[in-house]
């Protein structure tokens, strides 16, 4: 049996589809209020902040995927993520279960240096520090041989459905709603984005590849594009010119005085001022048969 912890999120939902299609129909979905993705999924309500519930959710699994997220709230991240990671690691160690951890890039430097699996952690900001700490916690356990695990890391999402990201929220959702498109800070900086179904398909593949464990993998992305290029592509596909505004940092600063979400967002904004370059060459060389969704294909699926 393969178990998804955090099955209600976008990545967990897509992962359940990918596992069912390509690897197994014996799937357990775990969240506080899990819902079936495939007809024969096993539902297991659990709170990962509770060690005993986490232990029971993991028991009997062959592979566990930790995809659970939290709202963009620094207080909550500091209070809860470390507990969740500790509970998941302890349960996997106790039951001798393989762990696949879905990670992000918050711990990397917020500059234009190419990000690879060997990039050092240089966290700036409360949420970045938390992500660095929980990733390092797992890396330390992996180094001792206490757990058989793998880290799957992804940059910013874009995707179909209710994909949650800055790009989906400020660009694609506004295009679909006929609203003014807003670009954070710089429309000429290159963005590397990952198509959410690709992230989940790739994680399912890594989780079912025994020699992939004991490593960090950057999940596969198409070559990056600027927001100006992405919006021009969207205009071509929808056969209409799309106007947009580039929001400056001073506008975010003012907005953060009145909006908690904008205040939480400010930590991430320096990465939007410069090129964000994320290399997935390691994955592409190891799994050359994997079809990466192009930006053109992804934008067309979102908008048409």
């Amino acid at each position: 049996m393969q178990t998804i912890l955090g099955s209600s999120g976008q990545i967990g939902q897509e992962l359940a589809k990918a596992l069912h299609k390509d690897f197994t129909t014996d799937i357990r979905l775990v969240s506080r209020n899990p819902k079936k993705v495939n007809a024969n999924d096993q539902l297991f309500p659990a709170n990962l902040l509770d060690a005993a519930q986490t232990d029971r959710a993991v028991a009997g699994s062959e592979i566990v995927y930790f995809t659970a997220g939290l709202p963009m709230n620094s207080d909550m991240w500091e209070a809860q993520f470390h507990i969740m990671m500790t509970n998941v690691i302890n349960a996997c160690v106790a039951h001798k279960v393989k762990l696949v951890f879905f990670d992000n890039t918050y711990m990397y430097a917020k500059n234009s240096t190419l990000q690879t699996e060997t990039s050092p952690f240089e966290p700036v900001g409360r949420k970045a520090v938390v992500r660095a700490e929980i990733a390092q916690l797992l890396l330390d356990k992996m180094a001792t041989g206490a757990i058989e695990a793998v880290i799957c890391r992804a940059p910013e999402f874009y995707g179909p459905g209710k994909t949650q990201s800055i790009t989906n929220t400020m660009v694609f959702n506004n295009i679909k709603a006929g609203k003014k498109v807003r670009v954070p800070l710089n429309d000429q900086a290159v963005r590397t984005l990952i198509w959410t179904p690709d992230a989940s398909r790739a994680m399912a593949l890594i989780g079912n590849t025994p020699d992939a464990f004991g490593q960090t993998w950057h999940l596969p992305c198409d070559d990056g594009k600027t927001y100006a290029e992405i919006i021009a592509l969207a205009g071509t596909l929808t056969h209409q010119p799309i106007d947009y505004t580039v929001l400056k940092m001073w506008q975010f600063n003012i907005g953060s005085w009145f909006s908690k979400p904008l205040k939480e967002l400010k930590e991430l904004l320096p990465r939007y001022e410069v090129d964000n370059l994320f290399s997935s060459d390691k994955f592409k060389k190891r799994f050359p048969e994997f079809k990466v969704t192009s930006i053109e294909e992804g934008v067309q699926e979102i908008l048409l």
Side-chain angles (χ1 to χ4, degrees), residues 85-128:
M85 176 60 89
T86 299
N87 288 343
V88 170
I89 289 174
N90 289 344
C92 288
V93 170
H95 295 284
K96 295 181 173 57
V97 174
K98 292 181 178 180
L99 174 61
V100 180
F101 175 47
F102 180 72
D103 200 8
N104 65 26
T105 62
Y106 286 15
M107 71 290 295
Y108 289 153
K110 295 179 175 67
N111 57 36
S112 58
T113 302
L114 181 67
Q115 299 166 355
T116 71
E117 287 86 351
T118 60
S119 293
F121 291 177
E122 299 179 25
V124 176
R126 294 170 66 186
K127 290 181 286 296

Side-chain angles (χ1 to χ4, degrees), residues 195-262:
W195 182 247
T196 47
D198 282 3
S200 296
R201 287 195 301 119
M203 187 160 49
L205 176 58
I206 288 172
N208 286 276
T209 303
D211 66 11
F213 281 76
Q215 306 175 57
T216 296
W217 294 86
H218 279 186
L219 298 176
C221 305
D222 192 16
D223 293 339
K225 290 186 180 295
T226 67
Y227 277 127
E229 291 171 331
I230 291 171
I231 293 168
L233 171 62
T236 299
L237 291 172
T238 58
H239 304 290
Q240 60 182 2
I242 298 174
D243 192 21
Y244 64 92
T245 297
V246 178
L247 297 180
K248 305 302 183 183
M249 184 62 82
W250 66 265
Q251 294 172 291
F252 284 103
N253 287 336
I254 292 174
S256 68
W257 296 345
F258 309 100
S259 168
K260 174 71 171 175
L262 278 182

Side-chain angles (χ1 to χ4, degrees), residues 130-152:
V130 170
R131 295 301 305 198
E133 288 176 346
I134 62 172
Q136 192 61 53
L137 176 62
L138 180 56
L139 286 168
D140 290 345
K141 291 291 185 181
M142 291 164 63
T144 67
I147 188 170
E148 188 172 4
V150 62
I151 295 175
C152 297

Side-chain angles (χ1 to χ4, degrees), residues 4 6-16 67 102 154 157 194-197 199-200 203 219:
I4 303 172
S7 63
S8 297
Q10 181 77 15
I11 294 297
Q13 296 275 296
E14 295 288 348
L15 177 58
T67 69
F102 180 72
F157 303 156
I194 191 164
W195 182 247
T196 47
S200 296
M203 187 160 49
L219 298 176

Side-chain angles (χ1 to χ4, degrees), residues 158-173:
Y158 82 110
K162 297 181 179 179
T163 297
Q164 296 181 354
S165 70
I166 292 175
T167 297
N168 261 61
T169 299
M170 299 181 70
V171 179
F172 296 125
N173 291 356

